[in-house]
Amino acid sequence: MRKLTGIFLLALALAPAVPAQKSGIHREDMDPSCKPCEDFWRYANGGWIDRNPIPPQQARWGTMAVMNEKNRERLKTILEEAAAAKQPAAPHIRQIGDLYAACMDTAALDARGVEPIRAELDQIAKISDLAALRATLTRLQMTALAPASLFALPDLKNSKEMIANIGAGGISLPDRDYYFREDQRSQKIREEFLKHVERMFVLLGEPQDRAAEAARKVMAFEKELAGAMLTNVERRDPYARYHKMDLAGVNALTPNYDWREAFRLFHLPESTPVNVSEPKFLKKLDEQLTAVPLEDWKTWLRWRVAKNAAPHLSKPFRDEDFYFSSTVLTGVREPLPRWQQCSNTVDRLLGDALGREFVARYFPPQAKKRMQEMVENLRATLREELEKADWLAPETKKNAIAKLNAFYAKIGYPDRWRDYSGVEIRRDRYFESVRSAGEFNRRYQMSKIGKPIDRNDWGMTPPTVNAYYNPTMNEIAFPAGILQPPLFDMEADDAVNYGAIGAVIGHEMGHGFDDQGSKYDADGNLREWWTPEDRKKFEERTACVIDQFNTLDVGEGLRHNGKLVVGEALGDLGGLTLAYRAYRRSLKGKEGPVLDGFTADQRFFLSFARTWAVVDRPEAMRLRLNTDPHPLPRFRAIGTLQNMPEFHKAFGCKPGDPMVRPPEKQCRLW
Ligand SMILES: [Zn+2]
């Protein structure tokens, strides 16, 4: 009797306040035949992985790709409605509708062939001296196709000020090492690249033998540039990329090119400070202006223009570009459906116009509020962790807490939407519309130089399934696109939300203290705020993770480059640790509910592992191991959990189990 009353009372008391929350567990997605302490990734995701082979249009497939696909479906609805909207529609609706419709009209693209870039190619053909070459390189700044591109970035040592930067580029393969590596796969890619460039020249109307010769010239030209570039590991050190100077200083590096021309193009005052990220590269490029025969420069410029335009030209160009960029490099068998390509293009070029519609329909204000609460709970947790971190000197601790307090959190979407009224979109002129939007955006970016930084600026569009930390603005950002199930589920219990989006929040916060982020202070300035002893201890912690990823076998004898992935791996480790403690903190000393036969801790870790239910094609996996600072998804789960005693306890894993690193080798960030 008493018991019944008790249940009744409990139901009465709890039902209105706590609606039934999903456990977040999908047993059919797991593989119970695999032991959690053997391979937790497989245990948590094996069922899903087996049922969901990589679609022929994708290089990688998994949780975030499925979320992305769902967001794309939503964008499709918005774009189809916009394209069909009766006049007078709101201007931004008309723009996204027109650009989408123009993109979908492949018959019109095919009918135009190479015509959209004909004028540009003719201009290149007319180059007859160094002055004309210089003028062309300046003009290419507008489309960011010049090998050394100007861009706006805060001064790394005075982050309140946006200054001009000159980057290093101009290569077509994914990374400079692709021009030099001698392994079989790299040699094969270079062979395919030569054939690809050759076929592209044939499409431009070049006879076969000359096309083959042109391809060799392009390769030789790019190899020279690649040889002067920093490696992707060297580039991780912000000090290696910081060389601030004035315009005269830049011009002293490039006796053959006057940067005043490029400054004029974007109306930059000559007093604008410049950071040359790779002076060695810039010098080399300048030498090439006179060392490389003019005809070879022209060959490369034609290639550059055609390659960049190919996805927006007729079918033979689109197919050729797809074959090399997707099939050869990543193993993808079929292009994305046209509507997905088009929604991606609109998202990339008119992100705010499309994003505001996405947010209005699919991102309720309650979602933003719950996310804000989680961010603040993680922040408070990290503050406590830093306060009790006995390995840090008081001074370092104080600086770290100041940095944490200053983290600026962006959630969902920008406060103000950009106005694209300067962009000219015509349904019968797809290529020109893409260029108009591209140039408008380029001018917009460049116009930031000389102005104070703008907190309203986002590095990703609202439907994007991703998040970021920006060290110079000391901010973490979570677009609405990632704040969707299963990563963020308004109907799910806290354990699964902390394991998924909580770990993402922690990951981005962790970037503030990784191998790169730790070099920036609370104001986003590149400044050493660690005592020398603490820096040394911090580097021991990072060395632990570097060693772990250097030695993890990812299959076929392949390994990660620990120094390349260390920042992301530290973000994962610090992030999950933090999310776990924040979850425990949110329980205020109680235990979380057992649901569907799993404890709250178990569901937290299962939810984390599900985020990384992602598989790459073998080609894409190799590309990522060479270029991606993120570890492979499977090892983001395994590598992180191997270091966490909280996980070992939740699943009863013992020393010697594959999911347990020997205690003396377990890595920790905090
Ligand atoms: Zn990251």
Side-chain angles (χ1 to χ4, degrees):
M1 192 66 182
R2 229 163 61 200
K3 208 171 154 195
L4 265 179
T5 313
I7 290 167
F8 182 64
L9 281 176
L10 194 70
L12 254 191
L14 291 184
V18 185
Q21 290 197 314
K22 289 191 287 192
S23 72
I25 298 303
H26 304 269
R27 280 187 187 269
E28 71 282 10
D29 290 347
M30 299 171 61
D31 176 2
S33 75
C34 180
K35 295 207 167 49
C37 304
E38 288 284 320
D39 178 346
F40 192 71
W41 180 83
R42 174 79 210 169
Y43 167 74
N45 303 314
W48 190 90
I49 298 286
D50 292 347
R51 285 198 319 277
N52 292 277
I54 305 173
Q57 306 86 354
Q58 305 285 347
R60 131 180 300 196
W61 194 242
T63 303
M64 294 204 205
V66 171
M67 291 170 70
N68 182 54
E69 194 107 317
K70 186 160 188 206
N71 289 347
R72 298 291 130 190
E73 292 284 348
R74 292 160 159 180
L75 295 179
K76 186 184 185 202
T77 309
I78 294 169
L79 288 164
E80 285 179 346
E81 283 177 24
K86 295 263 179 300
Q87 303 296 347
H92 74 282
I93 298 287
R94 214 167 53 230
Q95 283 181 312
I96 58 174
D98 285 348
L99 185 58
Y100 182 72
C103 178
M104 289 301 288
D105 187 359
T106 49
L109 267 62
D110 296 347
R112 295 184 71 195
V114 73
E115 185 230 306
I117 56 170
R118 180 59 66 199
E120 182 71 55
L121 295 173
D122 287 348
Q123 257 188 306
I124 292 169
K126 281 194 214 114
I127 296 174
S128 58
D129 57 16
L130 189 55
L133 174 59
R134 283 195 288 248
T136 305
L137 289 176
T138 302
R139 204 174 60 247
L140 288 184
Q141 286 289 345
M142 191 48 88
T143 38
L145 290 180
S149 214
L150 269 174
F151 59 96
L153 200 72
D155 180 346
L156 299 188
K157 292 191 178 176
N158 175 22
S159 67
K160 297 284 168 284
E161 198 189 341
M162 275 285 189
I163 62 170
N165 286 260
I166 298 176
I171 59 173
S172 309
L173 290 174
D175 179 68
R176 50 98 64 205
D177 288 354
Y178 276 72
Y179 294 84
F180 304 104
R181 250 194 233 112
E182 284 305 329
D183 62 285
Q184 228 183 344
R185 163 103 183 128
S186 304
Q187 291 187 23
K188 182 89 185 31
I189 287 177
R190 284 198 294 271
E191 277 168 37
E192 290 281 358
F193 178 63
L194 279 170
K195 287 191 250 171
H196 166 57
V197 181
E198 180 181 331
R199 285 191 298 265
M200 202 71 107
F201 274 105
V202 169
L203 288 177
L204 292 178
E206 208 71 48
Q208 194 76 48
D209 55 332
R210 284 188 32 203
E213 176 63 14
R216 283 191 293 274
K217 298 281 190 199
V218 166
M219 176 72 97
F221 181 91
E222 295 193 356
K223 191 175 176 182
E224 278 296 315
L225 295 188
M229 287 179 173
L230 296 178
T231 66
N232 53 21
V233 169
E234 288 166 344
R235 216 177 296 125
R236 289 190 69 78
D237 176 9
Y239 289 100
R241 291 182 269 115
Y242 190 71
H243 313 277
K244 190 181 169 188
M245 52 189 86
D246 59 11
L247 186 57
V250 187
N251 276 339
L253 288 172
T254 62
N256 292 311
Y257 184 82
D258 186 348
W259 283 88
R260 277 181 301 184
E261 303 296 326
F263 269 45
R264 255 176 239 141
L265 185 71
F266 296 108
H267 312 291
L268 299 177
E270 290 189 8
S271 57
T272 307
V274 192
N275 178 48
V276 176
S277 59
E278 302 189 22
K280 184 178 150 216
F281 172 85
L282 201 59
K283 270 194 210 162
K284 179 75 189 176
L285 178 64
D286 192 72
E287 285 165 26
Q288 298 299 88
L289 280 175
T290 48
V292 172
L294 203 55
E295 285 310 310
D296 294 358
W297 263 104
K298 289 159 72 171
T299 299
W300 181 78
L301 287 167
R302 294 173 68 210
W303 153 252
R304 184 80 165 163
V305 166
K307 174 68 178 172
N308 185 255
H312 308 295
L313 295 177
S314 57
K315 190 165 187 323
F317 285 94
R318 298 199 301 274
D319 288 352
E320 183 53 46
D321 180 60
F322 167 78
Y323 175 71
F324 183 76
S325 307
S326 298
T327 306
V328 172
L329 289 178
T330 70
V332 170
R333 306 287 191 270
E334 289 171 22
L336 287 173
R338 185 71 191 169
W339 72 263
Q340 283 205 29
Q341 297 179 38
C342 293
S343 96
N344 288 345
T345 300
V346 181
D347 183 34
R348 182 169 57 82
L349 293 171
L350 303 173
D352 275 22
L354 182 56
R356 63 198 278 186
E357 295 305 306
F358 177 83
V359 164
R361 296 187 198 194
Y362 306 110
F363 191 62
Q366 316 85 277
K368 186 162 182 161
K369 192 168 164 283
R370 185 160 174 192
M371 184 65 183
Q372 267 159 347
E373 287 164 11
M374 285 182 75
V375 168
E376 289 316 317
N377 195 15
L378 263 91
R379 191 200 300 266
T381 307
L382 181 50
R383 196 178 294 122
E384 286 171 10
E385 295 303 323
L386 287 170
E387 270 157 9
K388 44 178 211 233
D390 49 15
W391 61 285
L392 292 176
E395 188 194 336
T396 312
K397 215 180 261 195
K398 196 180 107 235
N399 288 331
I401 292 169
K403 174 157 185 169
L404 171 75
N405 289 342
F407 272 163
Y408 185 82
K410 292 178 167 174
I411 296 168
Y413 53 91
D415 296 331
R416 277 179 285 115
W417 298 107
R418 275 183 65 196
D419 172 14
Y420 296 98
S421 42
V423 180
E424 204 182 324
I425 310 279
R426 277 182 55 179
R427 289 199 183 202
D428 62 344
R429 283 287 175 272
Y430 174 61
F431 186 85
E432 290 76 0
S433 303
V434 167
R435 196 165 49 194
S436 171
E439 292 191 8
F440 180 86
N441 288 332
R442 183 105 173 100
R443 284 192 190 282
Y444 172 80
Q445 292 301 328
M446 296 300 287
S447 72
K448 294 176 188 169
I449 294 173
K451 294 186 191 141
I453 56 155
D454 182 357
R455 281 283 178 204
N456 192 56
D457 269 334
W458 278 66
M460 289 175 183
T461 63
T464 307
V465 184
N466 209 335
Y468 66 89
Y469 171 71
N470 177 353
T472 54
M473 295 187 42
N474 195 26
E475 64 185 15
I476 47 179
F478 308 92
I482 198 172
L483 305 177
Q484 311 282 339
L487 258 72
F488 176 77
D489 189 345
M490 290 297 282
E491 292 167 23
D493 156 69
D494 270 348
V496 295
N497 274 318
Y498 274 95
I501 199 70
V504 174
I505 299 169
H507 172 96
E508 301 309 339
M509 288 183 170
H511 275 317
F513 302 93
D514 72 11
D515 63 322
Q516 299 184 306
S518 66
K519 294 175 178 159
Y520 297 84
D521 68 10
D523 295 321
N525 290 325
L526 195 54
R527 179 177 73 84
E528 183 57 289
W529 51 267
W530 299 65
T531 64
E533 304 80 67
D534 287 351
R535 173 60 72 184
K536 212 167 139 250
K537 287 185 218 156
F538 173 77
E539 274 166 7
E540 281 163 20
R541 290 178 180 233
T542 62
C544 176
V545 174
I546 293 172
D547 178 58
Q548 182 188 16
F549 278 86
N550 277 339
T551 48
L552 260 178
D553 186 349
V554 305
E556 299 179 52
L558 296 169
R559 302 269 193 280
H560 288 93
N561 177 352
K563 283 187 173 164
L564 178 61
V565 300
V566 62
E568 297 297 335
L570 281 171
D572 285 342
L573 177 60
L576 190 65
T577 309
L578 196 59
Y580 177 78
R581 290 183 195 156
Y583 173 58
R584 302 298 302 190
R585 188 175 186 274
S586 77
L587 294 171
K588 299 189 170 71
K590 296 198 200 69
E591 275 304 311
V594 175
L595 298 173
D596 285 342
F598 289 98
T599 66
D601 278 12
Q602 287 175 332
R603 287 182 297 108
F604 171 90
F605 290 112
L606 283 166
S607 177
F608 168 71
R610 183 167 62 170
T611 307
W612 303 118
V614 180
V615 180
D616 288 285
R617 291 184 182 279
E619 297 89 341
M621 181 176 102
R622 284 182 161 80
L623 176 68
R624 290 194 179 270
L625 287 173
N626 287 332
T627 59
D628 192 343
H630 301 87
L632 297 171
R634 180 173 173 205
F635 297 93
R636 295 184 76 166
I638 292 175
T640 307
L641 294 172
Q642 282 179 329
N643 290 317
M644 279 190 68
E646 298 88 343
F647 160 75
H648 304 147
K649 187 161 165 255
F651 284 92
C653 302
K654 301 275 174 304
D657 287 341
M659 287 303 302
V660 183
R661 293 249 302 166
E664 72 282 4
K665 285 188 149 187
Q666 279 175 21
C667 312
R668 290 214 84 86
L669 185 52
W670 22 70

